[in-house]
Structures are given as C-alpha cells and as structure tokens.
Amino acid sequence: MNKLIAFIGFVCGILTAIFALLLNPVGPVLISGSMDSNSYAWSALDFYGAELDEVTLLGLPLSISGKAFADEGVVSANASTLVLRGADNKPAALATRLVALDEKGELLSADLGVNSFTNIFWPNRGSLMLYGYENRWPVIRNNILSRLGRVSEDSWLVSAQSPGNSPTGVIGGSGAMEGMGGRYSETLQLNPEGEENFMGQLSLELSFK
C-alpha cells in the first residue's frame, strides 16, 4: 500500500510540474530584436536530418522524427539552405544553417534548447556568421496546448541566452561585413504548406566592432 501511495504521489508530482510549466513557464531569458533591426523572413529551400520536435527534444524512447543522419555524432542534428526576403518580399540573401540538439536542456526549467550556426551570404557584398541558442519549449508548449483544445499561437520567439551565458550573436564576417558585430533574434512559425520544418523571421542588430 505504501508503494502504491508513493507511486501515485510521484505521478501527481510530475503532472503538477508539467501543468505548471504549461500555464506559467519559467525558462531562459529570451532575446528580442528592436524596432530598428534589419528583419528578414526566411524559408528553407532544402532540409536534411532530424526534425527537432517533441520526440528528440524530450529524449523520448522513440525513433527520431524525420530522415535523421545515420552516424551517431550527427543523429540529433540537421542542415538546411535558406532564402531570406526583405521588407519588399524579394529574395535578398541566401544562408546555410546547421542545428544540433543541446543536451543540457531541462524540462523542469522550461529549457529545451538547440544550438544554431547560420552563415548568411549577400551576393557581391559579403557574409555573416551567426551563433544562437534557441529554446524550443514555446513550440512544444503550443503543440501540447493546441492538442488540448487551447488557442494556438502563430509564431514563437525562440532566441534565448545560452546555458552558462555563452556569447551569442554575430561571430564573424567577410567582405563589406568584415569587422561587424551585434546580436540577432529569431521567431519561428510552422510552414503553411503542411511540412514539418519551420519558417521564420530573423532580426539583426549590427554595428562595427
């Protein structure tokens, strides 16, 4: 009987913690862009690797979603090619992106993160290399609430301070962008065409070092 009571208490504790996270999550400090940022809407032209959804981020004992790479070292990572569009909705730049699961994430602190490395190319101008930490818990939280019949959100701010406060933002540049520094923020939204990968909005705040 004591074991049964302990088990029930354990389950109730887990459910209470998850319920609290859904209603009032406390996670890493989010990084938002300012109104004078250079903003670009992006979408993926090509996508390869694992889809970093609930299965992968929560470490569930299920197959990793998507067409994951076979090698163990990159099984929880993906690579994509992006097109960035300016305010006029015309293509302004191309980018390559590598994203990998951050294994230090903690569900109870509403922190399920990925590390992203993005290289943006402006033809005949130069390029920027960005490093960012994204907390994907807002996306998972929205998916869970929508399945419970709650109103879902259209987009999610995911840029956050990395564990240990490692520096994020612009880490290098070339051409006209050489010597450039700054930070960036990103929001994600689901692809309206029904695919599992995301679209997004990238806001850059740049200055010369």
Side-chain angles (χ1 to χ4, degrees):
M1 178 61 72
N2 290 336
K3 291 183 178 180
L4 177 60
I5 293 175
F7 177 75
I8 293 174
F10 175 73
V11 173
C12 289
I14 293 177
L15 293 177
T16 300
I18 293 175
F19 185 72
L21 286 172
L22 290 174
L23 294 181
N24 188 27
V26 179
V29 177
L30 297 176
I31 301 173
S32 60
S34 64
M35 295 301 291
D36 59 355
S37 300
N38 297 312
S39 294
Y40 298 91
W42 63 261
S43 56
L45 298 175
D46 293 293
F47 179 89
Y48 304 94
E51 296 167 2
L52 298 174
D53 57 7
E54 292 92 330
V55 172
T56 307
L57 292 169
L58 292 172
L60 298 176
L62 303 171
S63 298
I64 292 179
S65 302
K67 297 179 180 179
F69 297 116
D71 294 331
E72 183 177 351
V74 292
V75 68
S76 298
N78 60 54
S80 56
T81 304
L82 314 177
V83 58
L84 278 62
R85 299 179 182 274
D88 57 3
N89 201 36
K90 295 181 180 180
L94 291 173
T96 58
R97 171 169 289 184
L98 304 176
V99 179
L101 176 68
D102 188 294
E103 297 179 352
K104 298 178 182 178
E106 297 181 0
L107 176 60
L108 292 181
S109 60
D111 182 11
L112 296 174
V114 301
N115 295 294
S116 65
F117 302 86
T118 306
N119 202 356
I120 306 175
F121 304 89
W122 285 269
N124 302 315
R125 288 185 59 197
S127 66
L128 283 179
M129 182 67 184
L130 313 177
Y131 162 65
Y133 179 79
E134 301 177 9
N135 181 18
R136 295 289 181 88
W137 169 248
V139 182
I140 293 178
R141 175 177 179 266
N142 182 80
N143 291 346
I144 295 173
L145 290 177
S146 63
R147 289 167 186 168
L148 294 175
R150 300 287 295 271
V151 177
S152 61
E153 300 174 355
D154 295 327
S155 62
W156 313 275
L157 175 63
V158 294
S159 297
Q161 291 182 359
S162 64
N165 294 320
S166 299
T168 60
V170 180
I171 59 176
S174 66
M177 308 295 178
E178 185 175 358
M180 190 75 74
R183 67 174 192 168
Y184 77 97
S185 65
E186 190 160 16
T187 58
L188 296 181
Q189 65 185 72
L190 291 176
N191 191 320
E193 296 182 359
E195 299 178 8
E196 292 298 327
N197 55 321
F198 295 104
M199 300 175 65
Q201 187 81 20
L202 185 68
S203 297
L204 298 165
E205 296 181 28
L206 303 175
S207 62
F208 283 100
K209 299 178 181 179

